[in-house]
Amino acid sequence: MNPGPTAGADLRTDDRTPPPAGGGRPPGRDRYLDLLRSVALVRVVVYHLFGWAWLTILFPSMGVMFALAGSLMARSLSRPALGVIRGRLRRLLPPMWLFGAVILTMMFAAGWNPLDDPDHGGVWGLVELFDYVVPIGAPPFPWQLGSRSGLLEETWAVQAAGVLWYLRAYLWFVIASPVLLWAFRRAPWATVLAPLALTAVVGTGLVTIPGETGNAVGDFGVYGACWVLGFAHHDGVLARIPRYLAVSVSALVMAFGLWWASGHLGPDGWDLNDIPLAQACWSFGFVVILLQYSPSWQELPGRLRRWDPLVTLSNNRAVTIYLWHNLLIMATVPVIDLAYDLPFLQSDTAVAALDSSYNILMFLLVWPLIGLMIVAAGWAEDLAAKRRPRLWPDGRDKGGRRHGLAR
């Protein structure tokens, strides 16, 4: 399975296409979905920084993000499928190319040679580099690189490039969506439940598929039901189910997921990312409840309105935040380590205080670094969407006036 939860995220944010005739979601932006996407991105950053297993239960970001992606995909597929898939790839790949160029340069500069890497099969390792261009598989990276005394720890490449598993899963969901949506509109519940059944077979070890093929099939099973639930949300199928019934069944599925997890705890205990069937069931129920209560806001209400610029910014730069956040988390370490050399922090008490607050300092520092990366690399998302590049697209013009989320 994937090396950890990541947001991602549908990492594109075009909600303009009207719903199909005969029902479904209303046209225009749905700020409730935008808010969920922002919360998922924040949760991913916090999880990767602190590693708290309980966060996978509190808010299953990946399930939520795949459901949002499925909803937007169903909306877009009112247009010809080939053009929709091409548009999705166009918006996703340029930011990935920029990220891949930086990461590969860093790895090559640190001495990595895919020809000599025993984990990537010599010449086949060179072929796998194509996955940094189009992520049909998992892009290769060394599991250890550099030295313990280096600027970044030896596993930095794993942590930085490991997030790319999501792009592979997203790509295959996008490619499969025309067929999945066709199947859903003819046999909705069979299509929703099929990925859970697949996870019950593959994710429990009943059937083992080796290598990256197994990882891809596993991810498809774990998050496929959430993707199809996005179809159900868009088409209004969930809204037609009595809320008490949807919530009751979801609670039972989630309870089964936790029961299964209790008997199959992984190396990090209750971290659902290590327990595929539990992750699939918990994410499924959680997503059903979130989408059942979906208020379809045109604007954020009440006190939430103060967060509107940040919600807009995070949605306009979701790919940038997702791709770079793990590398930026690691970049906080050498910056904070400089504090140990400050003259007024040489006492044992001061060093102990710095040690005890290290993760908090990382948390406080990573957000300005993410902001800098939005300014430095976010333009790639605008170019991918054929928009004029913007430094800080939070929905406000230079006078501070709101002008909506960019299309």
Side-chain angles (χ1 to χ4, degrees):
M1 293 302 295
N2 64 74
T6 41
D10 191 355
L11 296 179
R12 86 179 261 288
T13 57
D14 187 351
D15 285 343
R16 292 175 294 171
T17 309
R25 305 297 295 176
R29 295 293 318 175
D30 189 331
R31 298 298 276 166
Y32 176 71
L33 301 187
D34 290 343
L35 179 63
L36 290 182
R37 187 180 294 109
S38 298
V39 172
L41 283 170
V42 171
R43 203 284 277 160
V44 164
V45 175
V46 173
Y47 170 82
H48 280 153
L49 201 160
F50 292 101
W52 293 329
W54 54 266
L55 284 173
T56 63
I57 298 174
L58 178 66
F59 194 89
S61 284
M62 290 314 304
V64 172
M65 294 301 292
F66 279 117
L68 302 182
S71 181
L72 292 180
M73 194 67 187
R75 172 170 291 204
S76 295
L77 282 172
S78 61
R79 306 193 302 269
L82 186 60
V84 172
I85 293 172
R86 185 169 57 245
R88 283 290 195 271
L89 291 178
R90 189 195 73 229
R91 285 176 176 255
L92 186 67
L93 293 182
M96 177 188 167
W97 293 338
L98 177 60
F99 175 77
V102 172
I103 292 297
L104 285 173
T105 299
M106 292 176 62
M107 290 192 294
F108 292 150
W112 180 56
N113 184 350
L115 285 172
D116 297 332
D117 191 329
D119 295 322
H120 296 285
V123 175
W124 183 246
L126 290 178
V127 176
E128 287 181 325
L129 290 177
F130 179 75
D131 289 321
Y132 282 99
V133 180
V134 180
I136 55 176
F141 48 81
W143 287 93
Q144 287 188 319
L145 190 62
S147 63
R148 293 185 179 181
S149 59
L151 191 63
L152 298 173
E153 62 176 288
E154 290 177 298
T155 61
W156 72 265
V158 177
Q159 297 180 60
V163 300
L164 294 174
W165 77 269
Y166 172 81
L167 275 67
R168 176 198 64 200
Y170 175 81
L171 173 65
W172 285 110
F173 276 128
V174 166
I175 293 173
S177 281
V179 174
L180 287 175
L181 186 59
W182 177 88
F184 171 76
R185 288 175 174 168
R186 284 154 180 80
W189 299 116
T191 308
V192 168
L193 297 176
L196 293 179
L198 177 63
T199 304
V201 173
V202 176
T204 61
L206 188 63
V207 173
T208 301
I209 302 176
E212 284 302 322
T213 300
N215 290 337
V217 172
D219 291 337
F220 196 94
V222 170
Y223 299 111
C226 293
W227 186 276
V228 178
L229 283 174
F231 297 167
H233 172 257
H234 172 264
D235 284 5
V237 174
L238 282 179
R240 294 195 290 270
I241 300 174
R243 182 169 292 175
Y244 76 88
L245 180 60
V247 172
S248 299
V249 172
S250 296
L252 289 175
V253 174
M254 295 166 73
F256 171 79
L258 291 183
W259 171 80
W260 181 265
S262 69
H264 300 82
L265 298 180
D268 296 315
W270 285 86
D271 192 323
L272 298 187
N273 293 294
D274 300 327
I275 316 170
L277 185 58
Q279 176 74 284
C281 291
W282 184 261
S283 297
F284 174 88
F286 200 95
V287 164
V288 169
I289 293 172
L290 281 181
L291 296 184
Q292 261 284 334
Y293 283 86
S294 175
S296 190
W297 296 322
Q298 297 300 304
E299 294 182 356
L300 293 178
R303 295 182 179 179
L304 290 175
R305 195 164 300 162
R306 73 183 67 176
W307 298 101
D308 190 273
L310 289 179
V311 170
T312 300
L313 177 68
S314 62
N315 276 264
N316 276 322
R317 291 294 180 259
V319 179
T320 300
I321 295 169
Y322 172 74
L323 286 175
W324 294 92
H325 78 276
N326 246 8
L327 186 61
L328 296 176
I329 287 173
M330 289 181 286
T332 65
V333 174
V335 175
I336 297 173
D337 283 351
L338 295 175
Y340 287 96
D341 296 327
L342 295 174
F344 55 87
L345 289 178
Q346 297 307 305
S347 68
D348 292 341
T349 301
V351 171
L354 190 57
D355 288 342
S356 63
S357 60
Y358 205 99
N359 280 357
I360 298 299
L361 293 174
M362 291 175 67
F363 175 79
L364 295 175
L365 182 57
V366 74
W367 300 109
L369 293 180
I370 289 174
L372 289 174
M373 189 55 65
I374 287 173
V375 173
W379 52 266
E381 295 194 56
D382 290 326
L383 293 183
K386 298 183 178 180
R387 292 192 298 254
R388 176 179 57 84
R390 299 157 299 163
L391 291 180
W392 197 256
D394 65 353
R396 295 181 293 191
D397 58 25
K398 292 182 179 180
R401 296 183 298 273
R402 289 279 305 138
H403 53 76
L405 189 69
R407 300 299 188 179

